[in-house]
Amino acid sequence: MMVTLPTECLIPEKKQQRPAKSFYQRALRILPICLLAAAGATAQKPQQFSLQSPDKSITVNLLLNEDISYTVTADGQQLVAPSRISFSTDQLKPVKIAAAGLRVKKSATKLLDEQLTPVVFQKSGTVRNYCQQLQLELANGLTLEWRVFNEGFAWRWLTSHKGAYKVLSEEANWQLPAGARSWYPLEDGFYSHNERLYKYLPMDSITEQKLASLPALFEIKNHRLLLTESSLFNYAGCWLRGNGNGGLKAVFPYFPKEKKITSDRDEKIQSREDFIALGNGPQAYPWRVAMVAREDKQILTNQLPYLLGRPAEGDFSWVKPGKVQWDWWHANNVYGVPFKAGVNNDTYKYYIDFAAEYNIEYVLLDEGWCDTRDLMKQVPDINVQELARYAREKKVDLLLWTSWLVLDKQLEVALDSFASWGIKGIKVDFMQRDDQEMVNYYEKVAKAAAARHLLVDFHGAYKPTGWLRTYPNILTSEGVFGNENSKWSKLLGADHNTTLPFIRMAAGPMDFTPGGMLNAQEKYFAPIWDEPLTQGTRCNQLAMYVIYESPLQMLCDMPTHYYKEPEAMEFLRAVPVEWTQTIPLHAKTGDYVAMARQARNGDWFVGAMTDWDARELQLNLSFLPEGSYRMEILKDGVNANQNAKDFAKETLTVTKNTTLTMPLAKGGGYVARITKQ
């Protein structure tokens, strides 16, 4: 082997001025040191680490050489081929030999096994945090941490830096096997509401030009891989592009440099810096999360974003989930009332009366109640203080909408005022970014709201990233192509609605805003702004209250319509927004979904939805405890394939040994409430 000696190992040509040892004596003294350095520079031995899930089904192998790469197998099948990861700041310890910075100074593994009790029950009353953890402390001052669960894997970077620094880059790749496909939420750019349809694409068609937001789902032979992130704080959100080689790479919106306010709600980024984020002191960076499922139904109970969320600090026992009567979807277009409908106190008192009658916890005043440039300036026909007093008498609480820009300018005075008026929460809208500045804004609002015991619903938002664990007052968020799109678009169809539980909902609660009572089959549907229709059947909309998770769940339609539908309202009065158990029954992404859930009071609810294909699904009630139960069913009527509003009601006595058939019309649904007799 030819070795090039470092400069300090070379023998000087000029004679030394003072007496020196012989050439050979000096060479023999220096040469071992130089050869050692040269050998380290050219032939460092790779370091390898392996980590398995507790049940041994998932294996992650790490290789540290001149870079860091990993592979993943599940059930003996390769899910991720060798894929590079890296993290770079401008304060990394300088090393003369590049690879030496990736040498592991210290490694530690341990088994985590604990039962967590969420403040808000999204999928279950307890969540088991059960995984193998590996921490690698690198010579360059970074720490790489991996966790492998029976349901997936994740990694994150941690810095031990002191003082200020910049995160220059983060590299994350997922090299998928040949033949993989994706449900890909294709985006136009980083400025986005993240309300996307999912394109079912072969991986070899996903080029570097195809940008996607998270979460995204990938089909790899008989496995599913869902990518998202958790514990996103003081950093930029992760997006995806094709890596040009049949795989995926992470990309990030860099730190804003120049911004321009273009309206009373929008701020556009004119240019960006050449770094992702600013840091100051030690920090744990977001988890890169990959859920692994052998069948689609396993995605429905996966809670990795919650498990990897930063634990909450402080008391959140005051958080009260609930249903919400919403105004904006139907443009306050109520009728059959003795007052002029609109943004006025009479209309909102009507909403409050309706909510009180049906045990709906909240009424939301969406955009229109105030000057969008000044939250302290209410419109002439609205008096929020009076409405809040009226609502309290009826045991109903109020939520207020605000654009993020005006709230940013008036945060302290506005939230103090809202709290003093008796308001219980805010809906914050139009952020449309997830660069570091905006991510920090979310946390600022969450903290300020929590300090005043206010709930938060983020709209115009990116996906949730474990918020329900860190800030349980963030009960829901948009970042979903949801029911509001029915006002202006024909794209919100039954196939999309049966895709959401397996992708967007996997990241966390979603404010889809279900509950439309004017239902139409696809060929009869048309967008109507002031009195919207929904595509699919009446029971499809009702099933969303069982299938779709949102601890602050909207009723999007107007009381005028709900009053005309007593059977639907009997169900909506009873259905909760928190679940102590979730049991998937049937699942195929984009085709159908059915599940049983148990409420805090012990009642069971069943929901099922299908795409535009009518079908029958079997309902085995073996999940029930022993005993006799009353089962109240709402199912698609015999004419629902033609008139989507058609439904039938049925009441049965059942036990755990009962098996039924759930008939689903095109775009159809099925719901049931099961109570102990």
Side-chain angles (χ1 to χ4, degrees), residues 389-415:
R389 177 194 56 76
Y390 183 81
R392 281 195 301 273
E393 293 175 355
K394 301 280 186 171
K395 294 183 170 51
V396 175
D397 289 312
L398 299 186
L399 312 173
L400 294 179
W401 174 94
T402 172
S403 80
W404 80 273
L405 262 176
V406 67
L407 183 64
D408 194 31
K409 295 173 184 175
Q410 297 181 304
L411 184 64
E412 299 297 326
V413 65
L415 296 190

Side-chain angles (χ1 to χ4, degrees), residues 609-662:
M609 300 166 60
T610 186
D611 60 2
W612 292 122
D613 291 328
R615 67 182 82 240
E616 291 185 345
L617 298 175
Q618 293 301 111
L619 174 55
N620 185 323
L621 298 181
S622 59
F623 56 82
L624 292 174
E626 293 289 346
S628 178
Y629 294 85
R630 174 185 172 88
M631 184 173 180
E632 299 169 276
I633 300 167
L634 293 176
K635 58 186 179 181
D636 293 331
V638 295
N639 295 302
N641 281 319
Q642 180 71 15
N643 189 324
K645 294 186 290 295
D646 189 34
F647 69 93
K649 184 177 180 180
E650 185 177 7
T651 301
L652 304 173
T653 296
V654 298
T655 70
K656 65 181 299 181
N657 299 315
T658 302
T659 298
L660 303 170
T661 297
M662 297 183 286

Side-chain angles (χ1 to χ4, degrees), residues 270-282:
Q270 304 297 302
S271 64
R272 296 187 182 273
E273 302 284 1
D274 60 355
F275 57 87
I276 297 175
L278 296 170
N280 195 346

Side-chain angles (χ1 to χ4, degrees), residues 2 31 77-78 119 127 163 209 245 268 270 272 292 295 446 497 516 572 590 600 634 639-640 676:
M2 179 177 290
L31 189 59
Q77 175 185 324
Q78 187 173 71
V119 173
V127 188
Q209 287 69 47
N245 192 30
K268 300 289 181 64
Q270 304 297 302
R272 296 187 182 273
V292 175
E295 50 183 340
N497 295 343
L572 290 178
R600 277 182 178 260
L634 293 176
N639 295 302
K676 191 77 164 44

Side-chain angles (χ1 to χ4, degrees), residues 424-442:
K424 298 301 181 182
I426 54 175
K427 175 179 174 179
V428 189
D429 208 348
F430 291 107
M431 289 77 72
Q432 302 175 93
R433 293 164 30 210
D434 65 352
D435 51 56
Q436 185 189 25
E437 277 195 347
M438 186 57 76
V439 167
N440 287 347
Y441 173 81
Y442 278 66

